[in-house]
Amino acid sequence: MYLDEVSVTSLLSSREGAIPSEITHTMSSTTRREATRGVESDLKVVKVTGGSLLESSHTSDRQVLRKATIQATFRDLYRGERGKLALSPIPAAKESPPQGQVLSLLRYPERNKESPWFIGPEHLRRGDLIEVEVELQADPIFRVSAFFSSFLDMITESEELAGQVDQTQAAKVREFNTILERLRVGLIPIRCRLIDYRAVPTAAGEYLIHRRALESIPAMDRPSSYPAYLVGVTEHDLYWKDTRRILFSNAEVRILCRLNKVGLQQSWNAVKLADMVGSLLPEFSDMMNSFGSDALQAMMSNPQGSGETEQDSEVLTVFAELIAERGGTQLDEATMSEVRRIATENAHLLSGDLPEERVAFGRIADCLASRRGVTLVAEETARLRSQARSRVGLRRGLALQSSGAPPSSTTEAARFLDSEIIAIYW
């Protein structure tokens, strides 16, 4: 479904040297025969002149052109690297290690000797090739951008839809989406969940442990783990199928890629140009990093209500939810009730000066610190304040209707394998 010809050719050339791109065979034959006869005459002596020329020519050219296609080149690369991959799928027929061995390796990960069931940071080096089975999915920020583009096009073409949408807000969303597309510079970021592996913290760092190995441990004794994602950017023109058919279906595929960083990462920015801007404006990079997930959740939940005070109260409530996410806890009903009360009583302060806003957010933070034991440093507090405003603003942007129940406010932590995508295939 996707094949990066430059990466494939470069990798194979580095292993085997020059790669013949085409072979030409040419065959030709020519025959020629000529005969001349003549008689001449003048006024004194009769001369008769005549002549004939007989020429026969036969030429046969046959050219056979055999061009090595990129599929064949990829086959050669895969055959040469298959036995040397740092990570590759384990056959279903292969038995998982016994429970005792799994528990022993979790307690003493340094004893791991190249086991495919336990992949440590030392086995995931920059530049290593890996092959993994994943659920193929575009990154949330691309899915949001694609949705905005399609929906705004429908608004332009349909007067009935246009009459149901605030045109001022739609113009703002269109402008923002244009900026977002330029920041992506034509690249499609993907974020694909690893089917067979989860990230597990150990004394020697975070390991990728196979799902079947974890399932051999009883649920009550099983260690905490995080979903692991393969992430990277792809080029639109290198897809062999329409991206709308494959990037929004969670299809199970295999991906061959090369790691960009050592081990598992705790964050990843899908908009690479934002990293450049982030060197000057760090808050911009942080905002873009969380924008996709926030926008998807906002569009799905989309609470109704239009009062400014009600919106400010919602900002404070979302701020509390974000603090709980940051602290890895959930808000029980009693805590949520207290948060809503504080948010309602202090919502008017968000319309005042900056010191008054900080008072309102500070009361929410104090409530979470006393009830759930979650505290934040000043930088985290400022970032979560901005994120809460962004999420509530997105919820009310296009006033879209939603028929489903809102998703949970807590977001599961994740780990990422930052990679350069070489091929995507069945």
Side-chain angles (χ1 to χ4, degrees), residues 281-316:
L281 300 171
E283 63 277 9
F284 178 81
S285 182
D286 293 339
M287 181 189 73
M288 296 307 302
N289 193 28
S290 61
F291 171 77
S293 300
D294 290 346
L296 282 180
Q297 182 173 352
M299 288 189 295
M300 292 176 63
S301 56
N302 186 36
Q304 299 299 310
S306 57
E308 183 176 348
T309 301
E310 182 179 350
Q311 180 169 339
D312 291 340
S313 175
E314 186 182 345
V315 170
L316 294 174

Side-chain angles (χ1 to χ4, degrees), residues 312-322 336 339-340 343 364:
D312 291 340
S313 175
E314 186 182 345
V315 170
L316 294 174
T317 303
V318 171
F319 177 66
E321 295 172 351
L322 292 173
M336 279 302 302
V339 165
R340 293 191 188 100
I364 294 291

Side-chain angles (χ1 to χ4, degrees), residues 320-357:
E321 295 172 351
L322 292 173
I323 294 177
E325 291 178 15
R326 180 66 182 82
T329 184
Q330 295 185 357
L331 302 179
D332 54 32
E333 188 57 36
T335 304
M336 279 302 302
S337 178
E338 179 65 13
V339 165
R340 293 191 188 100
R341 182 190 67 80
I342 297 174
T344 302
E345 293 178 354
N346 294 274
H348 65 283
L349 296 178
L350 298 190
S351 301
D353 298 331
L354 181 60
E356 293 180 338
E357 292 184 7

Side-chain angles (χ1 to χ4, degrees), residues 108-397:
Y108 308 102
E110 64 276 3
R111 296 179 182 176
N112 178 37
K113 301 297 182 184
E114 302 293 334
S115 170
W117 303 91
F118 302 86
I119 308 297
E122 69 278 7
H123 302 140
L124 298 171
R125 300 180 297 269
R126 183 175 184 271
D128 283 349
L129 289 178
I130 65 172
E131 181 188 24
V132 289
E133 294 182 337
V134 301
E135 288 182 354
L136 182 60
Q137 187 70 275
D139 188 83
I141 201 166
F142 177 78
R143 288 150 60 192
V144 169
S145 178
F147 168 79
F148 282 162
S149 297
S150 300
F151 189 79
L152 291 171
D153 288 343
M154 288 189 292
I155 292 174
T156 303
E157 298 171 0
S158 172
E159 294 183 0
E160 183 177 352
L161 282 176
Q164 298 179 11
V165 175
D166 186 335
Q167 293 300 314
T168 302
Q169 292 291 342
K172 292 180 180 179
V173 172
R174 188 185 300 276
E175 182 180 357
F176 178 80
N177 194 48
T178 300
I179 296 173
L180 187 60
E181 290 177 343
R182 290 181 178 177
L183 286 172
R184 288 196 296 106
V185 291
L187 301 176
I188 299 179
I190 61 173
R191 174 173 168 158
C192 310
R193 185 182 68 84
L194 270 62
I195 295 175
D196 290 330
Y197 288 90
R198 289 183 66 87
V200 178
T202 70
E206 291 185 327
Y207 273 63
L208 282 177
I209 299 184
H210 199 277
R211 169 181 48 84
R212 284 194 278 151
L214 284 175
E215 290 175 352
S216 68
I217 305 174
M220 61 182 65
D221 299 327
R222 200 172 297 164
S224 60
S225 62
Y226 308 104
Y229 292 87
L230 181 74
V231 292
V233 292
T234 58
E235 296 186 36
H236 185 277
D237 294 339
L238 297 182
Y239 283 92
W240 291 8
K241 293 184 178 181
D242 189 336
T243 56
R244 291 170 295 184
R245 294 172 53 192
I246 57 178
L247 291 180
F248 297 87
S249 60
N250 283 337
E252 294 187 4
V253 300
R254 288 192 177 190
I255 295 183
L256 182 71
C257 57
R258 181 165 52 179
L259 295 177
N260 286 330
K261 296 183 179 180
V262 177
L264 295 167
Q265 309 299 312
Q266 296 188 7
S267 63
W268 180 72
N269 195 344
V271 183
K272 293 306 177 185
L273 198 57
D275 292 335
M276 180 190 70
V277 180
S279 62
L280 301 176
L281 300 171
E283 63 277 9
F284 178 81
S285 182
D286 293 339
M287 181 189 73
M288 296 307 302
N289 193 28
S290 61
F291 171 77
S293 300
D294 290 346
L296 282 180
Q297 182 173 352
M299 288 189 295
M300 292 176 63
S301 56
N302 186 36
Q304 299 299 310
S306 57
E308 183 176 348
T309 301
E310 182 179 350
Q311 180 169 339
D312 291 340
S313 175
E314 186 182 345
V315 170
L316 294 174
T317 303
V318 171
F319 177 66
E321 295 172 351
L322 292 173
I323 294 177
E325 291 178 15
R326 180 66 182 82
T329 184
Q330 295 185 357
L331 302 179
D332 54 32
E333 188 57 36
T335 304
M336 279 302 302
S337 178
E338 179 65 13
V339 165
R340 293 191 188 100
R341 182 190 67 80
I342 297 174
T344 302
E345 293 178 354
N346 294 274
H348 65 283
L349 296 178
L350 298 190
S351 301
D353 298 331
L354 181 60
E356 293 180 338
E357 292 184 7
R358 287 178 175 173
V359 169
F361 286 109
R363 288 171 180 170
I364 294 291
D366 291 342
C367 174
L368 269 293
S370 61
R371 286 179 170 266
R372 311 302 297 177
V374 181
T375 59
L376 302 174
V377 298
E379 292 79 5
E380 290 177 328
T381 302
R383 182 174 60 84
L384 294 185
R385 285 201 305 262
S386 175
Q387 191 172 345
R389 290 185 180 277
S390 173
R391 182 173 294 187
V392 173
L394 286 166
R395 287 179 180 178
R396 298 174 179 271

